[in-house]
Amino acid sequence: MDGTVTETERDYLAGYDPREFPIVLTTVDSVLFTYHEDRLKVLLVQRANHPQAGRWALPGGYIDQDRDATLEDTAHRVLASKTGVVPPYIEQLGSFGGAGRDPRGWSVTIAYTALIPFQACLTHIESVTDTQWFDVARLNELELGFDHEAIIDAGRERFRQKALYSLVPAHALQEPFSLADLRRVHELLIGMTLSRKSFIRRVEESGALIETGDEAPSGRGRPSKLYRRSPHLDDYRFIRNIGK
Amino acid sequence: MDGTVTETERDYLAGYDPREFPIVLTTVDSVLFTYHEDRLKVLLVQRANHPQAGRWALPGGYIDQDRDATLEDTAHRVLASKTGVVPPYIEQLGSFGGAGRDPRGWSVTIAYTALIPFQACLTHIESVTDTQWFDVARLNELELGFDHEAIIDAGRERFRQKALYSLVPAHALQEPFSLADLRRVHELLIGMTLSRKSFIRRVEESGALIETGDEAPSGRGRPSKLYRRSPHLDDYRFIRNIGK
DNA sequence: CTCTTAAAGTGTCATAAGGACACTTATCGA
DNA sequence: TCGATAAGTGTCCTTATGACACTTTAAGAG
């Protein structure tokens, strides 16, 4: 022994006070997308409190240490409070941190990105005024809080990639849905038109969607076959990207 | 006016004290991989302090609010202190948080994953005893701290995917390098052998590597051509995955 | 010096998947 | 009943890949 006291981990934890260390403000924000009337939409909440009160921003908030066991729990809790439901698809997008992004000090937000059918939360969102869908193509007309515009861009880019090699975007549609609608969602995400034939071939090959056997009129023209998501949808990856 | 005082953002910030809120312990950890003697290696540091003193864990630490402007700054600073250099490739891997992952309380780590040539930090790492490369295939023989085994698995999976559709793994090699070595790195990441011909075709098509014009003897047999990374390497993506 | 072996690099063919595009099917509405 | 419209299909061409045999180059044994 060299005279110093050998501290056990138990002793250390008993004397540990997190407030002795510089504090990083940590929050969880979510970028929730949907598809409605030929447009991609993102869910925004008008901030009631400082900082940035009045501005539209991503739904998010602090971790509730008693109620949330994981980061995804926080994302789910916040989204459910704004939409009434938990989205059928959510994944972690990334973390955005820095000294300057929040006036309160050094801050980090763990961002999630998610998809939901427009109809799944229609009534809940219509009942309040502080939560709204915004056309993703018109966000530049809005002055968003914090760095949330960059986070939304990252979410779009994530789903743009997913649209190239997966059928995950199907989570933005209410079941049952037509391949025409799903293809349109992919086209909006990717930013180019896709060949009908190629798209249908990929869907059939994947087994990630299941034909319901029903059809739906699509205005004028031949009615379209309807599909629902198979349980394997989230895991399926094409080995080759779609698009020229 | 309804009698309440309308607080300005300036007033709010003047009265804001982060210690009034529940504190989340926030750190940054990095999974740094390299390639040496036909093996994938990951850099681990033996913990000097509680909690988990004595265990091997990922290099990481607290955000230094005065020195770090971004999360990547923190990752760079910590890695540079352990290896002497900043790795040529680093990307954010994801955040791991929860109530139970650290005995000190609710915690979040923002994880980065990076690649570096073995030779780039050879002398620095040889000079200390608390920092070592470990064979990724033999991590099960080690009892790692916290949830760091899961984080390393996530890093491996990230680079496994990159190896399928990019040449980013080239950052694990000292320039100039042979395609035989690079293909071996990809094979270790993907977990299967790859066709020489296909691999060379992809490299040529990509333009992501540049032939130096030199050759190097490869033991017995025809000497191999040598390559270096082009500036476009990090951005290049194959539209189709390699491997059957 | 030559022969063997080993490893890098190449030529070529068959296959699989996508884009293009014309054609067919099915519904609406005038 | 016919025209317009949109979903769905058949077919050809192109492209990237895996397979595999072949060539090139060097080290080392005899």
Side-chain angles (χ1 to χ4, degrees):
Chain A
M1 301 294 285
D2 59 0
T4 62
V5 175
T6 302
E7 189 182 38
T8 66
E9 181 154 334
R10 178 186 298 269
D11 293 336
Y12 164 78
L13 290 172
Y16 175 78
D17 181 355
R19 287 170 301 181
E20 291 173 10
F21 299 91
I23 289 164
V24 175
L25 184 73
T26 305
T27 55
V28 176
D29 292 310
S30 295
V31 190
L32 180 64
F33 292 103
T34 194
Y35 169 77
H36 185 57
E37 290 179 341
D38 203 45
R39 294 280 187 278
L40 282 180
K41 309 271 187 178
V42 64
L43 192 76
L44 298 178
V45 177
Q46 195 163 31
R47 289 185 58 80
N49 304 316
H50 291 300
Q52 314 253 11
R55 286 204 182 177
W56 292 90
L58 292 171
Y62 297 102
I63 294 159
D64 183 328
Q65 301 201 10
D66 298 320
R67 299 166 67 186
D68 304 333
T70 67
L71 291 165
E72 198 166 299
D73 286 346
T74 307
H76 275 154
R77 181 174 52 76
V78 171
L79 284 178
S81 77
K82 298 298 180 188
T83 66
V85 292
V86 163
Y89 184 84
I90 189 166
E91 66 173 281
Q92 198 182 283
L93 176 59
S95 295
F96 300 77
R101 60 178 295 278
D102 188 308
R104 288 168 286 187
W106 227 104
S107 69
V108 172
T109 189
I110 295 98
Y112 282 78
T113 188
L115 297 172
I116 200 169
F118 181 78
Q119 294 83 348
C121 41
L122 178 58
T123 55
H124 195 282
I125 289 175
E126 274 186 342
S127 69
V128 296
T129 60
D130 75 332
T131 305
Q132 264 182 232
W133 290 113
F134 286 85
D135 185 341
V136 170
R138 292 190 178 181
L139 285 183
N140 45 12
E141 301 171 8
L142 222 56
E143 188 88 16
L144 297 184
F146 309 107
D147 53 358
H148 288 190
E149 189 166 346
I151 299 176
I152 294 170
D153 285 346
R156 285 199 67 178
E157 178 58 22
R158 176 68 59 90
F159 282 121
R160 196 181 80 85
Q161 293 299 327
K162 295 261 179 210
L164 289 171
Y165 62 75
S166 84
L167 294 171
V168 162
H171 286 290
L173 295 174
Q174 180 82 21
E175 292 181 315
F177 50 83
S178 70
L179 292 194
D181 281 344
L182 180 56
R183 181 161 55 89
R184 186 71 190 122
V185 174
H186 278 249
E187 286 177 344
L188 285 170
L189 286 169
I190 297 174
M192 62 181 289
T193 59
L194 298 175
S195 144
R196 262 203 324 278
K197 181 63 175 176
S198 300
F199 196 79
I200 291 177
R201 263 195 302 231
R202 285 165 75 92
V203 167
E204 284 175 352
E205 179 202 355
S206 72
L209 299 182
I210 299 169
E211 237 180 290
T212 65
D214 294 327
E215 297 185 337
S218 56
R220 38 185 180 285
R222 177 173 174 172
S224 45
K225 297 180 183 174
L226 294 177
Y227 293 79
R228 59 184 176 82
R229 297 179 278 275
S230 102
H232 319 103
L233 172 59
D234 293 1
D235 302 316
Y236 190 82
R237 298 289 177 269
F238 295 98
I239 61 173
R240 179 167 171 179
N241 285 358
I242 202 174
K244 194 174 42 181
Chain B
M1 301 296 283
D2 58 0
T4 62
V5 175
T6 301
E7 188 183 38
T8 67
E9 180 154 336
R10 179 187 298 268
D11 293 335
Y12 164 79
L13 289 172
Y16 175 78
D17 181 356
R19 287 170 301 183
E20 292 172 9
F21 299 91
I23 289 164
V24 175
L25 184 72
T26 305
T27 54
V28 176
D29 292 309
S30 294
V31 190
L32 180 64
F33 292 103
T34 194
Y35 170 77
H36 185 57
E37 291 178 339
D38 203 45
R39 293 282 186 279
L40 282 181
K41 309 270 187 180
V42 63
L43 192 76
L44 297 179
V45 177
Q46 195 163 31
R47 289 186 58 80
N49 305 316
H50 291 299
Q52 313 253 12
R55 287 204 182 177
W56 292 90
L58 292 171
Y62 297 102
I63 294 159
D64 183 329
Q65 301 200 12
D66 298 321
R67 298 164 69 186
D68 304 332
T70 67
L71 291 166
E72 197 166 302
D73 286 347
T74 307
H76 275 153
R77 181 174 52 76
V78 171
L79 284 178
S81 77
K82 298 298 179 186
T83 65
V85 293
V86 163
Y89 184 84
I90 189 166
E91 66 172 282
Q92 198 183 285
L93 176 59
S95 295
F96 300 77
R101 59 178 296 277
D102 188 308
R104 288 168 286 187
W106 227 104
S107 69
V108 172
T109 189
I110 296 97
Y112 281 79
T113 188
L115 296 171
I116 199 168
F118 182 78
Q119 294 83 351
C121 41
L122 178 56
T123 55
H124 194 281
I125 289 176
E126 275 187 341
S127 69
V128 295
T129 60
D130 74 332
T131 305
Q132 264 182 230
W133 290 112
F134 285 86
D135 186 340
V136 171
R138 294 190 178 180
L139 284 184
N140 45 11
E141 302 171 9
L142 222 55
E143 187 88 14
L144 297 184
F146 309 105
D147 52 359
H148 288 190
E149 189 165 347
I151 299 176
I152 293 170
D153 284 346
R156 284 200 68 178
E157 178 58 23
R158 176 68 59 92
F159 282 122
R160 196 181 80 85
Q161 293 298 327
K162 294 260 180 210
L164 289 171
Y165 63 75
S166 84
L167 294 171
V168 162
H171 285 291
L173 295 173
Q174 181 82 24
E175 292 180 317
F177 50 83
S178 70
L179 292 195
D181 282 343
L182 180 56
R183 182 162 54 88
R184 187 71 191 121
V185 174
H186 277 249
E187 286 177 343
L188 286 169
L189 286 169
I190 297 174
M192 62 179 288
T193 59
L194 298 175
S195 143
R196 264 203 322 279
K197 182 64 175 176
S198 298
F199 195 79
I200 292 177
R201 264 194 303 231
R202 285 164 75 92
V203 167
E204 284 174 352
E205 179 202 355
S206 72
L209 299 182
I210 299 168
E211 235 181 292
T212 66
D214 295 327
E215 296 184 338
S218 56
R220 40 185 181 286
R222 178 174 174 171
S224 46
K225 298 180 182 174
L226 294 178
Y227 292 80
R228 59 184 176 81
R229 296 178 278 274
S230 101
H232 318 104
L233 172 59
D234 293 0
D235 303 315
Y236 190 81
R237 297 289 177 271
F238 296 97
I239 61 173
R240 180 167 170 180
N241 286 358
I242 202 174
K244 193 175 40 180

